[in-house]
């Protein structure tokens, strides 16, 4: 496979070894969702304006995207702009929009060459036309790629997503296409903006806040959480590896008891047979 190059840096042997160790030591999450937080505080600590934090945050996006694709993560969802972020001062919203346009223009080809599919979730209709155009072009250009799906949550909130899903199901019930009895978790999931994507195995939040902040509310039901004090502009691949290591140490029970997890299943059935 062609070596990945999003960051334009040659991958070091140390990094290759670290990734190989992680792949051997346990499961690599198929889907990681990230709340990228702390750009403003990072910039302020350096006596700089908040927009500078967002700009350096894009370097983290590149590094994390590249490392994720190299290590075999299939879906990476980044919370880039929440519904609530529209309430920020106009100058900051404007700076973020410009940064998004510039980044998409600069990176679309690069993502495509690296077989990365770009998608977006959220109420993108609220974005300026220039932004929507860049986004649509990048999505169209990369639509057949299958190495990693990079999904940007833009003007997104979990409640917006769930509200839309309910509205669309209600319309189907009204037209007779769907019966209320048929509505179950799978039907609800299939009406969310993430319908084609498995729920995140791991959710990472940077900057040390213990909140979900209206991210993928429905989809995070059984995700493992990893919260780090590191601000997003400092969150690079070594931090991602730490999060994956932590994920690999978790005992994911999905509401069952530890002994019912898959690796213990066969042991249990042997014990059950012995008892019968
Ligand atoms: C949170 O930090 C970050 C954001 C609201 C925006 C994230 C955007 C980027 C990393 C850049 C653009 C992304 C792409 C995909 C091109 P904050 O501003 O809330 O920081 P604070 O909590 O310290 O105030």
């Amino acid at each position: 496979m062609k070596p990945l190059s999003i960051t334009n840096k040659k991958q070091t042997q140390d990094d290759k070894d670290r990734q190989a160790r992680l792949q051997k030591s346990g499961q690599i999450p198929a889907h990681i969702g990230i709340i990228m937080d702390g750009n403003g505080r990072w910039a302020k600590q350096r006596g700089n304006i908040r927009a500078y934090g967002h700009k350096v945050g894009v370097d983290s996006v590149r590094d994390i995207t590249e490392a994720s694709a190299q290590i075999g993560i299939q879906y990476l969802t980044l919370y880039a702009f929440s519904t609530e972020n529209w309430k920020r001062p106009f100058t900051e919203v404007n700076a973020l929009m410009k940064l998004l346009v510039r980044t998409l223009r600069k990176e679309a080809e690069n993502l495509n060459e690296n077989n990365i599919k770009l998608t977006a979730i959220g109420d993108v209709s609220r974005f300026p036309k220039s932004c929507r155009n860049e986004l649509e072009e990048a999505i169209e250009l990369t639509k057949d790629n299958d190495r990693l799906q990079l999904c940007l949550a833009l003007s997104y909130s979990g409640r917006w997503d769930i509200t839309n899903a309910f509205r669309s199901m209600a319309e189907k019930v009204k037209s007779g296409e769907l019966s209320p009895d048929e509505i179950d978790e799978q039907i609800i999931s299939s009406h969310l903006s993430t319908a084609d994507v498995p729920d995140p195995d791991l959710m990472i939040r940077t900057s040390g806040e213990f909140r979900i902040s209206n991210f993928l509310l429905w989809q995070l039901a059984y995700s493992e959480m990893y919260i780090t004090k590191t601000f997003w502009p400092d969150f690079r691949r070594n931090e991602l590896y730490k999060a994956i290591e932590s994920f690999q140490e978790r005992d994911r029970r999905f509401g069952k008891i530890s002994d019912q997890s898959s690796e213990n299943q066969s042991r249990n059935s042997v014990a059950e047979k012995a008892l019968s």
Side-chain angles (χ1 to χ4, degrees), residues 82-181:
S82 72
T83 308
E84 290 74 21
N85 286 156
W86 287 112
K87 294 180 199 145
R88 290 191 176 196
F90 173 77
T91 46
E92 182 165 345
V93 171
N94 200 29
L96 274 166
M97 295 296 142
K98 282 192 175 148
L99 185 61
L100 187 65
V101 172
R102 237 182 296 135
T103 307
L104 288 168
R105 194 169 293 155
K106 199 165 154 222
E107 302 297 335
E109 199 58 56
N110 198 2
L111 291 175
N112 194 37
E113 279 167 14
N114 286 288
N115 196 12
I116 293 171
K117 176 176 175 168
L118 184 79
T119 60
I121 51 172
D123 187 3
V124 182
S125 68
R126 291 183 72 179
F127 275 64
K129 198 162 186 313
S130 57
C131 239
R132 275 180 289 151
N133 288 348
E134 277 318 319
L135 193 61
E136 275 164 25
E137 277 177 31
I139 289 173
E140 176 62 24
L141 180 71
T142 61
K143 70 177 190 309
D144 296 323
N145 297 339
D146 61 6
R147 181 158 188 172
L148 165 76
Q149 182 165 320
L150 171 64
C151 174
L152 301 182
L154 295 167
S155 189
Y156 177 87
S157 78
R159 287 186 176 179
W160 167 88
D161 205 357
I162 293 169
T163 307
N164 271 350
F166 279 116
R167 189 177 300 127
S168 129
M169 285 185 296
E171 271 160 16
K172 287 186 185 168
V173 168
K174 199 173 154 198
S175 70
E177 200 185 321
L178 181 70
S179 143
D181 303 337

Side-chain angles (χ1 to χ4, degrees), residues 36-42 50 54 57-58 61 79-80 85 88 92 96 99-100 103 152 232:
M36 308 183 286
D37 196 16
N39 294 352
R41 278 166 284 167
W42 183 90
R50 295 175 55 83
H54 299 316
V58 174
V61 170
Y79 205 9
N85 286 156
R88 290 191 176 196
E92 182 165 345
L96 274 166
L99 185 61
L100 187 65
T103 307
L152 301 182
W232 178 250

Side-chain angles (χ1 to χ4, degrees), residues 8-276:
N8 277 328
K9 284 187 207 144
K10 194 172 180 296
Q11 190 183 14
T12 64
Q13 191 55 47
D14 270 2
D15 189 48
K16 282 184 193 165
D17 294 345
R18 180 92 196 262
Q19 290 184 352
R21 279 201 301 278
L22 270 179
Q23 283 161 332
K24 273 199 203 124
S25 60
Q27 191 203 341
I28 297 294
H31 183 181
I32 298 185
I34 308 186
I35 302 180
M36 308 183 286
D37 196 16
N39 294 352
R41 278 166 284 167
W42 183 90
K44 208 172 159 200
Q45 275 183 355
R46 285 158 181 79
N48 229 312
I49 56 164
R50 295 175 55 83
Y52 179 62
H54 299 316
K55 184 169 174 277
V56 178
V58 174
D59 296 336
S60 296
V61 170
R62 277 196 206 94
D63 197 45
I64 296 305
T65 304
E66 183 178 275
S68 297
Q70 284 165 339
I71 207 164
I73 289 156
Q74 291 159 48
Y75 303 91
L76 178 65
T77 302
L78 303 179
Y79 205 9
F81 195 85
S82 72
T83 308
E84 290 74 21
N85 286 156
W86 287 112
K87 294 180 199 145
R88 290 191 176 196
F90 173 77
T91 46
E92 182 165 345
V93 171
N94 200 29
L96 274 166
M97 295 296 142
K98 282 192 175 148
L99 185 61
L100 187 65
V101 172
R102 237 182 296 135
T103 307
L104 288 168
R105 194 169 293 155
K106 199 165 154 222
E107 302 297 335
E109 199 58 56
N110 198 2
L111 291 175
N112 194 37
E113 279 167 14
N114 286 288
N115 196 12
I116 293 171
K117 176 176 175 168
L118 184 79
T119 60
I121 51 172
D123 187 3
V124 182
S125 68
R126 291 183 72 179
F127 275 64
K129 198 162 186 313
S130 57
C131 239
R132 275 180 289 151
N133 288 348
E134 277 318 319
L135 193 61
E136 275 164 25
E137 277 177 31
I139 289 173
E140 176 62 24
L141 180 71
T142 61
K143 70 177 190 309
D144 296 323
N145 297 339
D146 61 6
R147 181 158 188 172
L148 165 76
Q149 182 165 320
L150 171 64
C151 174
L152 301 182
L154 295 167
S155 189
Y156 177 87
S157 78
R159 287 186 176 179
W160 167 88
D161 205 357
I162 293 169
T163 307
N164 271 350
F166 279 116
R167 189 177 300 127
S168 129
M169 285 185 296
E171 271 160 16
K172 287 186 185 168
V173 168
K174 199 173 154 198
S175 70
E177 200 185 321
L178 181 70
S179 143
D181 303 337
E182 285 174 307
I183 299 176
D184 58 11
E185 292 190 10
Q186 207 221 315
I187 293 281
I188 297 173
S189 294
S190 72
H191 285 80
L192 293 167
S193 59
T194 47
D196 305 328
V197 174
D199 289 342
D201 302 290
L202 173 64
M203 193 215 72
I204 299 173
R205 179 167 190 147
T206 61
S207 96
E209 312 285 355
F210 285 74
R211 285 193 290 274
I212 296 185
S213 296
N214 218 345
F215 193 30
L216 303 160
L217 295 181
W218 174 274
Q219 299 87 337
L220 291 175
Y222 286 104
S223 308
E224 295 297 325
M225 304 284 165
Y226 180 84
I227 292 161
T228 170
K229 284 192 172 150
T230 304
F231 291 141
W232 178 250
D234 281 334
F235 190 93
R236 301 294 163 96
R237 60 183 63 208
N238 285 330
E239 299 283 329
L240 176 73
Y241 302 156
K242 278 191 223 160
I244 296 174
E245 262 165 15
S246 166
F247 170 81
Q248 290 180 338
E249 283 160 13
R250 313 280 175 96
D251 177 18
R252 298 188 82 195
R253 294 192 294 273
F254 300 96
K256 298 174 185 172
I257 60 168
S258 203
D259 271 3
Q260 289 174 294
S261 62
S262 57
E263 65 218 58
N264 289 320
Q265 289 280 348
S266 51
R267 233 182 302 150
N268 282 348
S269 60
V270 171
E272 274 160 21
K273 267 190 201 140
L275 282 171
S276 64

